[in-house]
Amino acid sequence: MKHIYFLVFLLVSGTASYAQTTYRSAIVGFYNLENLYDTIFHGSNDDVAFTPDGAKAYTGRVFNDKLAKLARVLSQIGTHINPDGPAILGVAEIENKGVLDTLLRHPLIAERGYRYVHYDSRDFRGVDVALIYNPKYFKVERSRPIFVKIPAGTKDAAYTRDILWVKRLLDGERIQLFVNHWPSRSGGQKRSEPARIAAATTVRNWIDSLNIIDPGVKTIVMGDLNDDPTDNSIIKGLKASGDIQSGKPDELYNPWVAMYKNGIGTLAYQDAWSLFDQVLLSRSFLDKKQPGFFYYKHYIFKAEYMIENTGPYKGYPMRSYNGDVYRGGYSDHFPVYLVLLKR
């Protein structure tokens, strides 16, 4: 462990000297921002509640307070490894480009010059996913939204969030990313499971097709999957495994399996932890001898200020709202991130 900490402490501006080798680092993460709406009614189902006259009394003061708290988290994720923070950060539950523009202009993170990729989807709640990136590390080549068809009878809503596909250069290396926010468990886990399997299969089909076109591209799948690492949607639909040694070449590697089995999660409900927020990798990231980025470590970011410290939800993520009462927290999910290194 001394060697690991020695590596971490020598990281400055994304480089490190370790065992007489210089490594460059990149932080790749995901964060569900929990209902980041603006204060204007745009006509979606949930949107009316997030207005000054709505049930949640979502005023400009509340909006700005929430932005400040999210910016505080974003400013600190991964900085023990790289002071620049995330090179790539997928986000969920954002209403539109306007809230992203406002968040990324916040003084705590504005100097990083973050940019983003976002498309509006037909989600019934009016929220989408997006990919925030630091142009110092990342250059976008192509992107597009991917529609997910929900199987009949599995969900009350007709539409869910689109999956965001982005192909880009990470420090000169070709990488494709899929940012996800799969259908929720509302209506029951069993009834809603086919909708998440449909989303997982959609991603898997795209990966398989793109691997034929561009067999050398590395793949990252991230998001709030609304399923745990051991659920069917991830193991069977996405074809992901936590086995770092003997997994099949076409399987994704899921570093969160052991953590979940040890009772660690990113959100809690009725005193049970779930680990819905995950970042998965193609197995090409596991080869530490290849010249590009390789997987080093994974983390759940949960600073003390993000955790409920009193009451029945002590230890849970401190969320923005308890029902319709503004709690003044951060999100009902903890963010997750990976550390990638390359020589």
Side-chain angles (χ1 to χ4, degrees):
M1 290 302 292
K2 289 183 179 179
H3 292 303
I4 293 175
Y5 285 120
F6 186 59
L7 167 67
V8 170
F9 287 142
L10 283 180
L11 277 163
V12 178
S13 298
T15 62
S17 293
Y18 177 60
Q20 297 182 349
T21 303
T22 299
Y23 289 89
R24 187 164 176 81
S25 65
I27 307 299
V28 178
F30 176 82
Y31 193 16
N32 183 322
L33 303 182
E34 192 201 356
N35 297 321
L36 183 55
Y37 289 89
D38 60 25
T39 61
I40 304 166
F41 178 60
H42 299 283
S44 63
N45 287 21
D46 280 11
D47 194 18
V48 66
F50 289 92
T51 59
D53 296 325
K56 297 184 183 297
Y58 193 71
T59 62
R61 182 192 62 81
V62 171
F63 174 66
N64 289 328
D65 185 62
K66 181 173 176 65
L67 284 179
K69 289 190 163 80
L70 293 176
R72 181 184 185 187
V73 175
L74 268 57
S75 72
Q76 296 179 5
I77 292 174
T79 53
H80 69 295
I81 296 288
N82 188 325
D84 286 338
I88 308 165
L89 184 73
V91 293
E93 295 199 11
I94 56 104
E95 184 177 21
N96 50 42
K97 293 179 179 180
V99 297
L100 282 176
D101 287 330
T102 309
L103 173 61
L104 299 183
R105 287 196 302 265
H106 193 279
L108 288 174
I109 53 177
E111 66 178 13
R112 293 180 182 173
Y114 279 131
R115 301 175 186 173
Y116 62 84
V117 182
H118 166 264
Y119 294 91
D120 284 314
S121 71
R122 291 185 283 178
D123 173 62
F124 81 106
R125 291 178 54 205
V127 293
D128 308 311
V129 299
L131 188 73
I132 298 170
Y133 66 95
N134 188 332
K136 177 178 177 180
Y137 293 85
F138 228 43
K139 178 182 178 182
V140 175
E141 291 186 330
R142 298 176 59 194
S143 66
R144 63 160 290 174
I146 301 172
F147 178 73
V148 177
K149 183 175 176 56
I150 298 180
T154 63
K155 297 288 293 178
D156 294 330
Y159 299 105
T160 188
R161 281 74 55 178
D162 289 342
I163 297 162
L164 174 61
W165 172 76
V166 181
K167 184 178 179 182
R168 54 183 59 198
L169 295 176
L170 176 59
D171 201 29
E173 184 175 9
R174 292 183 353 268
I175 291 179
Q176 64 177 356
L177 300 103
F178 296 85
V179 186
N180 301 260
H181 186 188
W182 290 356
S184 74
R185 295 189 171 198
S186 62
Q189 193 275 339
K190 185 175 181 180
R191 180 193 174 203
S192 61
E193 183 183 52
R196 290 184 294 281
I197 291 177
T201 304
T202 299
V203 177
R204 184 72 247 183
N205 289 342
W206 269 76
I207 292 173
D208 292 342
S209 298
L210 291 167
N211 281 344
I212 296 172
I213 300 170
D214 190 359
V217 69
K218 291 180 175 178
T219 300
I220 299 174
V221 177
M222 62 172 66
D224 175 357
L225 308 182
N226 271 306
D227 267 338
D228 291 308
T230 56
D231 285 325
N232 287 332
S233 62
I234 297 169
I235 294 176
K236 296 180 180 179
L238 203 52
K239 294 184 182 177
S241 166
D243 190 340
I244 200 167
Q245 298 294 335
S246 58
K248 297 177 181 178
D250 65 336
E251 282 183 342
L252 295 172
Y253 173 60
N254 190 343
W256 308 97
V257 175
M259 190 176 281
Y260 171 67
K261 288 182 177 180
N262 286 329
I264 301 170
T266 56
L267 69 159
Y269 178 68
Q270 294 183 347
D271 293 331
W273 283 93
S274 294
L275 211 163
F276 291 171
D277 307 273
Q278 300 164 53
V279 183
L280 302 87
L281 303 165
S282 59
R283 290 193 169 263
S284 50
F285 278 104
L286 301 182
D287 180 4
K288 292 181 171 59
K289 296 181 180 179
Q290 46 94 14
F293 279 102
F294 61 87
Y295 162 72
Y296 171 60
K297 207 163 185 180
H298 62 286
Y299 298 89
I300 297 174
F301 183 74
K302 45 183 178 180
E304 286 296 323
Y305 61 79
M306 300 165 62
I307 303 172
E308 289 282 1
N309 52 25
T310 59
Y313 304 115
K314 184 178 180 179
Y316 288 23
M318 185 185 293
R319 61 191 304 158
S320 297
Y321 276 87
N322 287 335
D324 290 332
V325 178
Y326 185 58
R327 173 68 179 84
Y330 297 78
S331 172
D332 53 350
H333 293 241
F334 291 131
V336 295
Y337 64 98
L338 305 182
V339 179
L340 304 180
L341 298 178
K342 80 169 182 178
R343 291 172 180 80

